[in-house]
Amino acid sequence: MTERTALELESVRRCFGSVVAVDDVSLSVAPGEFVTLLGPSGSGKTSTLRLIGGFEELDAGAIRIKGERIDHLPPYRRDTATIFQSGALFPHKTVAENVAYGLRMRKVERPERDERIRQALEIVRLQGYEDRYPSQLSGGQKQRVALARSLAVRPAILLFDEPLSALDLSLRLQLRGEIKRLHDELKFSAIYVTHDQGEAMAMSSRVAVMNKGRIEQIDRPEKIFHGPANEFVFTFIGESCCLPVRRGASEVTDRNGQAVALILQNSLPEGDSRLYIRPSRLKLAAEAQGLPNRLTATIHFIEFLGDMHRYHLKAGALEVFADHAGPIGHDVGALIDVGWRSEDMKVFR
Amino acid sequence: MSDVLARRGFEPVMLKALGAAFIVFIVAYILIPVLVTLVMSFNDAAMIRFPINAWSLKWYQDFFASPQWTDALKSSVIIATGTAIISTVSGILAAWAFERFPIPFKNALYLLIMLPLFMPGVVLGLGIAMTFGGVQIAGVNLYGSRALVMIAHSLWAMPLVFMLMEATFRTVDYRVVEASYDLGANPLRTFIEIVVPMVSTGVISSALFAFVISLNEFVMALFLTDRDTQTLPVLMWLSLRSAGTPRLAVASVILALTVFACLAIIMVWYVRQLRKVSRN
């Protein structure tokens, strides 16, 4: 167990006053694993990261790095390195001095220190920037220096605190790819905090979806996407349509009791339930023919999204939207069929 | 129509002229006392008096040839330096603690720290004189010593440093401090290597303000110094009562120049930092 984990959280708990920010979180990161904490703001993901880094104190539980308990140590005694959202570079130090800082604190002496600075800057492709000050760098370059600064000290675990969220979209995608490439190359262990599911899916070995201080599900990205463990995970990951339905004695109605033309392969549980479908999996009009689950609905309005047309449909109080490449040949007000396969649907009570 | 246009054209000219006149007045108002003193210091006569009939540097020679006056200048500089060190170190540490840690009765404490700034110099001077009048340390009288004046002047300088640094520390990006801890630097190391350089303009300004405050201070120095430790303002006041020679103007010019030099250093440092932090 000691050798198998880079980091281990055991029933970690952190409260701020009466608010439980991190609630009974257990998690282990294998060496070389890239684990993402994904969740909405306030879900406790950043607090969890700060507990690991030592910037918050634990109220209960244990944190181990390579099998040794570290939760009683101050941040400067922990073998972690954080890449902050803002980069948090030292403004009065040059790029090389920024990267050198952690090495100096770890008493890495001259020839080796210089070599490791050179390596780190090469890894993030910033050779030739040694003597620049942070103010002379672009946002993306700053984050690459922050990455080099953390990589140079070769910590047991790298902690990423939403490092890309302050950057614009194209830069975000580019750096995301670069972090992924670095991880494939260097096999560092990492915890990555983000609220961007694209980032989480693209980079992670495993994703932990967090909500209200708890981990709702932790698994490989494909498993999370295709087999969400619960309603929260389903709605948080990817887009989804929710149909709040009610099954009476004989027919299916909306919550107002109005009957809807809904045909399902498997019957719903009696009473109220919520039926979720991914809009990208919905088939419209003629394409819906022959699918086991169908709803007949009126086209409410149509959005043009570039690649796609998004059809907003209504059946009683039920609303769904479906994407279709190009127009389907029906206009607003038309009554059409929407269909989907049973595996693309989830029912929660 | 043309009437309105004409008036519109007229008003800004009027405003500009008024503005210019106001600026000239302010500048003159601020600089005239200094300029008059500067002019008077080159007076050849034995008395401070207009008109000036002959010009010379003789009072400068006289000033630097007189041990009494150079000693007073030395005393002033030593006391000002000591005050700058004491109040900068204590003010910065207090401000950092104030900014970083939860302290009970913070607002009341803030007012208490600021209180000496608003106290008349006579009150503080007399109070310190009475308190330390007979105190000896290692056989040396504390009263009349430069150390006591440094401590007294720090009563004024420290709150100022505290106020300045408290505001400066508020601008520090705390993530940068955390990054330093994160990379393995302990709090002391972080403070010296990361925090202080980030607020260097504030530190330099604090030290020089403290220096200038001490250099300018007269009342407390009058209460607390003796013949051997008297500062330049004290000696000037004493000699004004016996003989008002242009030597006094020379002393004034030296004090004023020191103040200008301090301000210049602050400006240069500020511009240097600005250049470092802003993108080229």
Side-chain angles (χ1 to χ4, degrees):
Chain A
M1 174 176 142
T2 46
E3 288 303 308
R4 295 244 180 89
T5 58
L7 172 81
E8 197 184 0
L9 305 186
E10 190 188 310
S11 307
V12 164
R13 189 182 162 85
R14 169 69 176 154
C15 309
F16 296 108
S18 61
V19 181
V20 185
V22 179
D23 191 4
D24 195 29
V25 165
S26 296
L27 171 74
S28 72
V29 180
E33 209 181 9
F34 196 110
V35 175
T36 297
L37 304 181
L38 175 67
S41 50
S43 59
K45 54 191 194 307
T46 296
S47 296
T48 306
L49 198 78
R50 290 176 63 79
L51 283 169
I52 301 167
F55 301 114
E56 300 287 348
E57 272 179 54
L58 222 55
D59 287 321
I63 302 175
R64 294 187 191 86
I65 285 182
K66 290 181 172 165
E68 280 182 46
R69 266 192 89 154
I70 53 128
D71 45 69
H72 56 290
L73 296 174
Y76 47 91
R77 296 254 170 73
R78 298 189 186 195
D79 195 11
T80 60
T82 308
I83 292 101
F84 292 89
Q85 183 180 347
S86 57
L89 298 180
F90 307 128
H92 55 282
K93 289 183 185 290
T94 62
V95 168
E97 286 165 355
N98 263 280
V99 180
Y101 193 75
L103 297 171
R104 278 174 44 227
M105 296 307 143
R106 282 168 164 77
K107 308 225 159 44
V108 177
E109 289 307 328
R110 213 36 194 277
E112 197 200 333
R113 194 203 301 165
D114 290 343
E115 176 57 20
R116 275 165 75 170
I117 296 168
R118 197 192 59 74
Q119 275 177 5
L121 288 177
E122 190 186 301
I123 286 170
V124 300
R125 299 177 182 167
L126 278 178
Q127 306 103 306
Y129 286 77
E130 287 82 357
D131 298 326
R132 302 256 189 124
Y133 282 95
S135 58
Q136 295 167 296
L137 302 176
S138 70
Q141 287 169 336
K142 279 184 200 167
Q143 282 307 35
R144 302 226 298 267
V145 175
L147 191 59
R149 185 174 72 175
S150 295
L151 283 170
V153 299
R154 297 178 190 158
I157 187 148
L158 274 171
L159 307 174
F160 292 87
D161 186 9
E162 307 208 26
L164 306 183
S165 61
L167 306 174
D168 58 47
L169 183 65
S170 62
L171 203 55
R172 207 151 67 209
L173 294 177
Q174 187 196 334
L175 267 174
R176 171 171 118 183
E178 221 160 306
I179 294 173
K180 170 87 176 144
R181 168 184 70 82
L182 284 178
H183 180 253
D184 289 347
E185 230 168 80
L186 304 171
K187 297 274 175 245
F188 51 77
S189 317
I191 292 215
Y192 190 101
V193 163
T194 183
H195 61 262
D196 181 327
Q197 38 176 300
E199 266 172 39
M201 295 293 157
M203 296 197 284
S204 318
S205 323
R206 282 191 298 155
V207 176
V209 182
M210 290 193 72
N211 182 36
K212 293 179 183 158
R214 291 175 163 275
I215 293 182
E216 298 275 355
Q217 185 177 9
I218 174 161
D219 215 326
R220 290 188 294 112
E222 309 85 57
K223 282 277 185 63
I224 299 259
F225 191 81
H226 294 299
N230 56 38
E231 194 171 350
F232 175 80
V233 178
F234 193 99
T235 51
F236 188 71
I237 305 289
E239 285 185 304
S240 57
C241 298
C242 174
L243 303 177
V245 291
R246 173 176 297 159
R247 200 189 127 214
S250 58
E251 53 174 13
V252 177
T253 67
D254 63 21
R255 290 286 167 86
N256 301 329
Q258 191 189 335
V260 287
L262 180 64
I263 302 159
L264 295 173
Q265 189 172 31
N266 307 309
S267 59
L268 287 167
E270 209 155 316
D272 289 351
S273 56
R274 284 175 306 283
L275 201 157
Y276 288 94
I277 327 154
R278 301 266 185 227
S280 58
R281 300 297 172 86
L282 288 172
K283 302 290 180 206
L284 291 170
E287 290 172 22
Q289 296 304 316
L291 286 168
N293 309 290
R294 287 194 309 278
L295 174 70
T296 308
T298 316
I299 301 177
H300 188 44
F301 62 96
I302 307 168
E303 281 179 298
F304 173 59
L305 301 179
D307 290 345
M308 296 282 176
H309 283 70
R310 175 162 288 184
Y311 287 82
H312 292 260
L313 310 163
K314 259 187 156 176
L318 303 182
E319 293 181 26
V320 290
F321 57 95
D323 293 339
H324 190 270
I328 54 167
H330 292 277
D331 265 333
V332 172
L335 201 63
I336 58 166
D337 269 355
V338 205
W340 61 92
R341 301 177 306 170
S342 296
E343 56 264 44
D344 296 330
M345 170 181 90
K346 279 266 179 185
V347 178
F348 295 102
R349 295 212 59 185
Chain B
M1 182 72 177
S2 62
D3 217 38
V4 175
L5 274 180
R7 210 185 296 158
R8 251 193 214 157
F10 173 69
E11 268 179 357
V13 174
M14 177 94 163
L15 279 176
K16 267 183 205 160
L18 273 175
F22 186 68
I23 288 168
V24 168
F25 169 74
I26 289 284
V27 171
Y29 179 72
I30 290 169
L31 287 183
I32 276 176
V34 185
L35 290 177
V36 168
T37 315
L38 184 67
V39 169
M40 191 56 75
S41 72
F42 296 110
N43 192 350
D44 191 57
M47 296 295 283
I48 293 181
R49 185 180 295 155
F50 276 109
I52 296 167
N53 297 319
W55 303 87
S56 87
L57 287 172
K58 94 172 192 208
W59 289 110
Y60 281 87
Q61 282 164 351
D62 177 82
F63 180 94
F64 287 106
S66 152
Q68 196 192 10
W69 286 86
T70 51
D71 278 356
L73 179 62
K74 205 175 86 188
S75 240
S76 270
V77 171
I78 290 171
I79 288 170
T81 308
T83 303
I85 293 168
I86 293 170
S87 54
T88 308
V89 170
S90 58
I92 286 175
L93 292 180
W96 178 245
F98 211 77
E99 182 54 30
R100 282 296 306 130
F101 305 111
I103 290 169
F105 307 112
K106 218 170 195 174
N107 290 335
L109 198 62
Y110 187 93
L111 283 179
L112 186 68
I113 293 173
M114 287 297 138
L115 190 65
L117 259 185
F118 305 102
M119 275 290 145
V122 252
V123 175
L124 294 176
L126 194 66
I128 291 170
M130 290 190 297
T131 313
F132 295 99
V135 177
Q136 283 192 335
I137 291 176
V140 180
N141 263 328
L142 201 55
Y143 183 73
S145 72
R146 290 182 182 130
L148 191 62
V149 187
M150 288 175 197
I151 291 168
H153 284 176
S154 295
L155 270 177
W156 270 357
M158 202 277 277
L160 209 83
V161 172
F162 175 81
M163 194 163 72
L164 193 77
M165 290 310 294
E166 211 253 345
T168 310
F169 281 137
R170 261 189 241 166
T171 66
V172 168
D173 177 3
Y174 197 65
R175 292 284 154 139
V176 175
V177 178
E178 285 188 344
S180 169
Y181 291 153
D182 192 58
L183 289 163
N186 63 32
L188 184 66
R189 199 79 194 264
T190 299
F191 186 75
I192 293 168
E193 266 208 62
I194 303 300
V195 178
V196 171
M198 275 202 288
V199 296
S200 63
T201 305
V203 175
I204 298 282
S205 309
S206 297
L208 292 175
F209 276 139
F211 186 87
V212 167
I213 283 178
S214 169
L215 203 67
N216 295 347
E217 205 285 328
F218 165 63
V219 178
M220 285 195 270
L222 183 69
F223 275 69
L224 297 171
T225 51
D226 56 24
R227 273 185 61 86
D228 295 328
T229 56
Q230 65 192 4
T231 61
L232 200 51
V234 172
L235 180 60
M236 283 167 71
W237 185 74
L238 293 174
S239 82
L240 180 66
R241 304 185 65 197
S242 50
T245 61
R247 197 195 282 131
L248 277 172
V250 171
S252 303
V253 168
I254 288 167
L255 280 179
L257 282 181
T258 318
V259 172
F260 277 127
C262 288
L263 293 179
I265 294 171
I266 294 175
M267 289 295 285
V268 167
W269 191 275
Y270 180 70
V271 169
R272 208 190 80 129
Q273 286 303 108
L274 216 59
R275 214 173 272 160
K276 212 172 180 181
V277 174
S278 70
R279 191 184 293 243
N280 302 24

